[in-house]
Amino acid sequence: MKLLLAPMDAITHQAFRNIVGRFGGCDEYFNEMINASSLLHGGPWEKFYLLDGPEPEKLVWQLTDKNGDKMAEAAAILAQKNGIGIDLNMGCSAPQIAKTGAGIAWMTKPLAETQDMVHKVKSAVENAAKDGEKAKRLSVKLRLGDENYTEEKLHQFCAMLIEEGVQMITLHARTQKQKHSRPSNWQAVENLALRFPEIPVILNGDVKDMESFERAKVTAPHAQGIMIATAAAQKPWIFAELKASSMQGSAPSLRAEDEAISLSEENGKTDYDDSFEMFDAEKLALDFIDDVEKYQPQEFWKTRLQRFFAFYCLNFSFGHYFQSQMINSTDNDDARKRIHEYFEKCPDDKIFRKNN
């Protein structure tokens, strides 16, 4: 079963993907969504959204906009770059996105309008393929729908997507207004996979550890992959943890502390395999800041650090204190200082064991 990194705004940029890559990576990395209009206008920050590391061949470009013509134009650009394919965002329910007509709004617009957009994007992707080259994959990430959701309506919508050439569907099995406090409907993923066996259906939502991973596989055995979002933001090593535990059938034994893995190798890579069990948590945090400075514009540094550390800090003994310290740091140097101070006060947290 494939493991996929979900697209997350202000998180799944290259600096974060590098951290995931250092732990062995995943099968597919979805980048943070790209706004088609902004890409076409050639804004000063768009080049950072187009970075494709650490494994360009595994990257999926996620696209959003309210305008179908612009989605198609942008898809033609992205289809000529490295990676697996283009993913259309039809699942983002954030009000600032949905109210503009983007994200989940594509599920609530007249069906013909959404169908026209998908048709144009698919044509653009196919036309971008060079002679003799296979066109990039077209996929869609969506939710169940609005609060009037029925399985019949969802299946009718997905039938249209497949008819227009969509080759993979990721279902975040919640409705537009359902929050994460409500369990994701994994059975809906299974039903969708059974209804459309001709394409991969990917489960998204609530997989955060080995126990939930196994339950998801039992509930939706016909899903061909699991996409992980916020759990990966908290634990970038979760993909390696799930792979290792799946292969071994149980959690591996721990190494001695003096064998903790260093994350300092060049190009965001390490030379260890998925069987690692511990690492230097302070160094990971500092390396992330270094990569943010390298791969993000200065205007984004503060928000990128805030978003990552809001999750990462929760791994530690005094997680909420550490989280507030990092969110309130004034700049990157202050953030580094606060990291050093935390691990000086809590030295037992410095060497982090996977199964803490």
Side-chain angles (χ1 to χ4, degrees):
M1 177 173 282
K2 282 189 174 182
L3 293 174
L4 302 85
L5 173 65
M8 292 180 280
D9 182 46
I11 294 180
T12 52
H13 45 76
Q14 180 161 337
F16 176 76
R17 298 195 306 266
N18 281 357
I19 295 296
V20 174
R22 293 181 184 193
F23 290 101
C26 55
D27 295 305
E28 297 186 14
Y29 302 80
F30 281 57
N31 75 316
E32 56 179 335
M33 61 185 179
I34 296 173
N35 181 274
S37 296
S38 298
L39 178 64
L40 296 173
H41 291 155
W45 298 323
E46 297 314 302
K47 63 182 179 181
F48 297 97
Y49 286 90
L50 297 177
L51 295 174
D52 60 9
E55 298 182 87
E57 70 281 4
K58 294 183 178 181
L59 190 66
V60 179
W61 306 99
Q62 196 189 61
L63 195 58
T64 186
D65 206 280
K66 64 180 181 180
N67 184 287
D69 290 330
K70 290 182 178 179
M71 293 270 276
E73 287 184 62
I77 294 172
L78 296 173
Q80 298 178 60
K81 298 189 176 296
N82 290 320
I84 296 169
I86 314 299
D87 185 75
L88 302 181
N89 183 324
M90 296 189 191
C92 182
S93 61
Q96 66 270 28
I97 300 295
K99 287 180 180 179
T100 69
I104 198 171
W106 285 106
M107 294 189 73
T108 59
K109 293 178 182 182
L111 188 64
E113 182 179 348
T114 303
Q115 184 171 7
D116 181 64
M117 180 273 287
V118 177
H119 181 82
K120 288 176 178 176
V121 170
K122 179 65 174 180
S123 296
V125 171
E126 290 184 339
N127 291 336
K130 298 175 183 177
D131 290 341
E133 181 181 77
K134 185 178 179 181
K136 292 287 198 298
R137 184 186 72 195
L138 180 62
S139 61
V140 170
K141 185 174 185 291
L142 42 66
R143 285 192 172 220
L144 296 172
D146 61 19
E147 303 319 293
N148 296 316
Y149 148 79
T150 66
E151 193 165 86
E152 181 182 4
K153 287 169 62 177
L154 174 66
H155 289 185
Q156 288 175 347
F157 186 83
C158 291
M160 176 275 291
L161 296 178
I162 295 168
E163 181 182 342
E164 292 300 333
V166 169
Q167 298 156 284
M168 186 178 87
I169 292 174
T170 300
L171 179 59
H172 179 181
R174 291 185 173 93
T175 64
Q176 180 173 359
K177 293 184 179 180
Q178 284 177 345
K179 305 300 182 184
H180 287 270
S181 57
R182 182 155 184 169
S184 183
N185 183 358
W186 292 341
Q187 187 59 51
V189 179
E190 173 66 2
N191 294 344
L192 188 67
L194 289 171
R195 173 66 179 79
F196 300 106
E198 64 269 33
I199 68 163
V201 172
I202 308 301
L203 181 151
N204 175 224
D206 291 348
V207 175
K208 58 185 178 180
D209 51 27
M210 193 62 202
E211 188 272 334
S212 55
F213 178 62
E214 292 298 335
R215 283 193 294 109
K217 290 195 294 181
V218 169
T219 306
H222 289 87
Q224 293 191 32
I226 291 181
M227 178 178 281
I228 301 177
T230 54
Q234 181 178 345
K235 302 186 294 183
W237 54 89
I238 190 170
F239 300 105
E241 193 169 60
L242 295 179
K243 288 178 191 176
S245 295
S246 293
M247 289 187 294
Q248 297 175 18
S250 60
S253 60
L254 295 175
R255 298 176 185 174
E257 287 194 6
D258 59 1
E259 294 181 5
I261 299 299
S262 168
L263 300 177
S264 62
E265 281 75 356
E266 296 179 357
N267 301 321
K269 292 286 187 180
T270 56
D271 57 2
Y272 56 88
D273 60 25
D274 293 346
S275 64
F276 77 95
E277 286 112 26
M278 55 177 61
F279 57 90
D280 186 327
E282 178 181 8
K283 192 167 194 321
L284 186 152
L286 296 172
D287 285 350
F288 175 75
I289 297 176
D290 290 345
D291 273 4
V292 166
E293 291 177 345
K294 184 175 181 180
Y295 297 110
Q296 292 286 278
Q298 188 168 355
E299 294 87 346
F300 288 7
W301 289 357
K302 187 175 182 65
T303 56
R304 272 37 180 176
L305 263 62
Q306 287 176 330
R307 288 280 281 159
F308 173 70
F309 286 110
F311 293 103
Y312 181 67
C313 291
L314 298 179
N315 291 300
F316 304 103
S317 300
F318 300 94
H320 291 291
Y321 165 77
F322 192 12
Q323 180 190 69
S324 67
Q325 286 293 302
M326 296 306 298
I327 289 175
N328 291 312
S329 58
T330 57
D331 55 33
N332 288 7
D333 287 338
D334 185 41
R336 290 184 175 97
K337 177 183 176 184
R338 292 176 186 230
I339 289 168
H340 287 306
E341 289 176 347
Y342 177 82
F343 288 106
E344 283 180 357
K345 293 177 181 176
C346 304
D348 290 344
D349 280 356
K350 180 177 169 63
I351 302 303
F352 189 87
R353 295 173 174 84
K354 280 194 321 181
N355 300 298
N356 275 14

